Amino acid sequence: MNESIRDSVGATGKVREAIMVWDMPVRVFHWLLVICFAGAWLSSESERWAMIHYAFGYTACLLVLIRLVWGLIGTRYARFSQFLKKPKAVLEHFMAMLRGHPHHDVGHNPAGGLVMFALMLLILIIGLSGYLSVKEFLGNFVSEIHEAVSSLVLGLVVVHIVAAVGMSLIERQNLIRSMVTGKKQGMPDQGIPYPQYLIGALIFLGALYFFYLTLTGRLPGLTQ
């Protein structure tokens, strides 16, 4: 059996196939957060775009808070219990990759899960520091924290993108596309049964409405 065929067959002899891994709430969160971070970054240097900056930034924080809840009650691969591992497990993951034995579970690998969780916490810090800056709390100190953490997150985003491309080559499947379709290669019994389209749609509409309220100044407590 050649290597490509062997890799597609599990220990039970079942053939790997496209299965549903990422539910709709996870995919909505991921791509809306990408848009919000990019929008907040691009609008950060212009006073004319201040309301747009606030809207993108606070909506990003709202999305993170929703994702934290979904990480506790969501579907199998959305839960933190599936991919947040102890430091020892993360180190073992890196060592395995160096030995040429990459992670093959269908969900997040330990390193990717840790980076994702760190990004969420840092985005909340960006939002809090931005809010305190708007309220002129502690003067330039908070503003400098806001800018420094934003730059740190940008760096982690670049690392995340590079890692996604690299793991796509190693695993021989498009991980970026899988966050669009929700599907990855795996055993039939590994897939989630319900993509949760309704909850995903509610998150999408709720985020858009919150963005609108912030953009139009209807949440003055956040922007003044």
Side-chain angles (χ1 to χ4, degrees):
M1 185 182 294
N2 66 39
E3 185 178 354
S4 62
I5 296 176
R6 184 169 57 250
D7 287 345
S8 69
V9 179
T12 62
K14 294 180 180 179
V15 178
R16 291 163 64 87
E17 61 183 48
I19 59 171
M20 184 63 64
V21 173
W22 305 124
D23 59 40
M24 187 56 71
V26 167
R27 285 180 274 162
V28 167
F29 161 78
H30 182 275
W31 294 114
L32 285 186
L33 190 64
V34 169
I35 293 170
C36 285
F37 182 77
W41 182 270
L42 293 173
S43 60
S44 62
E45 299 300 325
S46 173
E47 292 186 5
R48 291 175 52 197
W49 293 356
M51 294 302 293
I52 296 175
H53 181 71
Y54 297 150
F56 277 125
Y58 288 133
T59 302
C61 291
L62 174 66
L63 289 166
V64 169
L65 293 175
I66 293 172
R67 181 64 181 90
L68 291 175
V69 173
W70 194 244
L72 300 175
I73 66 173
T75 57
R76 178 178 179 181
Y77 301 105
R79 296 195 178 198
F80 299 131
S81 59
Q82 187 273 325
F83 60 83
L84 281 186
K85 306 297 182 182
K86 295 180 179 179
K88 181 181 178 181
V90 177
L91 179 60
E92 289 175 348
H93 166 71
F94 279 118
M95 296 304 294
M97 289 195 62
L98 291 176
R99 292 193 299 267
H101 301 291
H103 172 89
H104 285 299
D105 290 348
V106 296
H108 285 299
N109 63 54
L114 183 62
V115 170
M116 188 196 76
F117 193 73
L119 281 171
M120 290 194 292
L121 294 182
L122 288 172
I123 285 173
L124 289 180
I125 293 175
I126 292 174
L128 177 60
S129 59
Y131 172 79
L132 294 177
S133 179
V134 169
K135 298 299 182 181
E136 300 182 347
F137 183 76
L138 295 180
N140 291 333
F141 176 71
V142 175
S143 297
E144 290 174 359
I145 291 177
H146 184 73
E147 293 180 7
V149 177
S150 298
S151 297
L152 175 59
V153 169
L154 181 62
L156 285 177
V157 167
V158 172
V159 170
H160 175 66
I161 294 172
V162 172
V165 173
M167 290 306 296
S168 293
L169 295 174
I170 292 173
E171 296 184 12
R172 285 177 286 186
Q173 61 177 324
N174 191 326
L175 299 182
I176 297 174
R177 184 175 60 192
S178 73
M179 193 54 72
V180 176
T181 64
K183 294 183 177 182
K184 295 179 68 177
Q185 293 294 312
M187 297 298 114
D189 58 350
Q190 290 180 307
I192 60 174
Y194 305 109
Q196 305 294 341
Y197 290 122
L198 178 59
I199 296 177
L202 290 175
I203 293 173
F204 179 79
L205 294 174
L208 286 184
Y209 185 57
F210 183 81
F211 180 90
Y212 167 77
L213 291 177
T214 308
L215 181 64
T216 55
R218 301 189 183 191
L219 299 174
L222 295 178
T223 58
Q224 295 179 4

